[in-house]
Structures are given as structure tokens and as C-alpha cells.
Amino acid sequence: MRKLFSVAFVAAFVAIGCSKSDTGESTPAPASPPATVAPTPAAPAATAAASAAPSAAPVQKVELQIASVGNTMTFDKTKLTVPTGAQVHVTFKSNSSQDVLMHNWVLVNPGKEAAVAAAGLAKGADAGYLAPGPDVLASTEMAKPGGTVETTFTAPAPGNYPYICTFPGHYIMMKGVLTVTP
Ligand code: CU
């Protein structure tokens, strides 16, 4: 870009110089800077095309929708699959109609369901029964009955990751497995 600008600048400068030194050829001279400028728009287009090439393998985006089942402590999907490294957007809808039955969606490290649930319980209702930590890979807010919550995260390394609801007592029943493929 800088080169193109300086070329245009020099061309303009030469044109001005020409018009001053030779009045007879002053009319055709100013016509040359526009000719020089004209190819310039092509250059950014080429640059854009070049920068688009590396993003031929962009971050894959995955939409996941999950819900709770009626007034139960269960997710409607107990198996989800995403590729590693994907940007995952989870929308979770609570189909509960009881104020005492609230849910969230929390992705945890394998084997850490009980620990994460216990830590959330200790945090209490004001914290949405969730204690952020290294074993919490993704989490939504606690959804009110009928409400929808969401979260976005980058899919971790390939493996099987449990997801749970951390509302007190729910995680034993309310769980599923997110499989992250290579
Ligand atoms: Cu729940």
C-alpha cells in the first residue's frame, strides 16, 4: 500500500512539475495520475483475496440446542458431539414450570461432576450454584422456569466430557456427555 501511495504521489508530483515546466503538455499530463490511481483499487482486492486464503480453514462454529424435559431433572439430549477447537454456542431452555425446579448447563472435566456440583452448592443460590474453576469448562446461568440461557466456548481436546445441572441434587440425574472428536 505504501508503495502504491508513493507511486501515486510521485506521479502527481511529476504531473505538477510537467504542467509548470511545459504549459503545452499540461493538459495530457494531469490525465496520467488518474490512470495510475485506477489500478490501486485492484491491489486491496488482491490483498483481501490473499488474506482469505489462510482463513480457508476458519474456526468451525457449532450451534447446540438442549432443553430440560418438563418438570423432571433430565436433559432432552444426553449425547452431544462437537469437533475439537470448534466455537460452540449452546442454547439451553428450561421447560420447568415450577419455581423450585431451576436448571443450568455446565460442562465439566471428566470425573469432576460431583466436585463441581458440591462446589456450586457451597457457593449458594446467589452464585447460581456454580463455582467457576479449572474443572468448569463452560456454563450457562441458572435458567428460570421457561427461560432460555446460553453460553459460548471453544471445544476442548478430544474426549468425553460430562455436562450436568448444578442445581442442588440435580447432577446425579441431570447429565449427559459431550463427545469432542479430533
Ligand atoms: Cu437442574
Side-chain angles (χ1 to χ4, degrees), residues 102-104 165 167 170 174:
M102 296 202 288
H103 307 296
N104 62 2
C165 167
F167 192 88
H170 288 200
M174 198 161 181

Side-chain angles (χ1 to χ4, degrees), residues 64-171:
L64 294 180
Q65 297 197 328
I66 189 164
S68 66
V69 179
N71 287 315
T72 69
M73 292 180 283
T74 49
F75 287 116
D76 65 345
K77 292 169 188 164
T78 56
K79 286 179 182 175
L80 297 170
T81 303
V82 297
T84 186
Q87 185 182 315
V88 185
H89 178 231
V90 173
T91 304
F92 168 62
K93 182 178 188 299
S94 172
N95 285 314
S96 162
S97 62
Q98 301 174 356
D99 285 343
V100 293
L101 200 59
M102 296 202 288
H103 307 296
N104 62 2
W105 184 91
V106 182
L107 184 69
V108 305
N109 270 328
K112 298 297 181 181
E113 300 95 313
V116 169
L121 182 58
K123 276 280 190 177
D126 289 346
Y129 297 109
L130 183 72
D135 288 324
V136 175
L137 305 178
S139 61
T140 67
E141 291 176 20
M142 194 63 71
K144 291 187 169 66
T148 298
V149 289
E150 62 188 333
T151 186
T152 301
F153 64 98
T154 300
N160 293 320
Y161 298 85
Y163 55 84
I164 59 173
C165 167
T166 62
F167 192 88
H170 288 200
Y171 84 94

Side-chain angles (χ1 to χ4, degrees), residues 13-26:
F13 195 78
V14 167
I16 290 161
C18 282
S19 62
K20 274 186 180 174
S21 63
D22 190 353
T23 36
E25 291 184 15
S26 63

Side-chain angles (χ1 to χ4, degrees), residues 41-60:
T47 311
S51 63
S55 60
V59 174
Q60 190 173 346

Side-chain angles (χ1 to χ4, degrees), residues 27-51:
T27 313
S32 72
T36 315
V37 173
T40 312
T47 311
S51 63

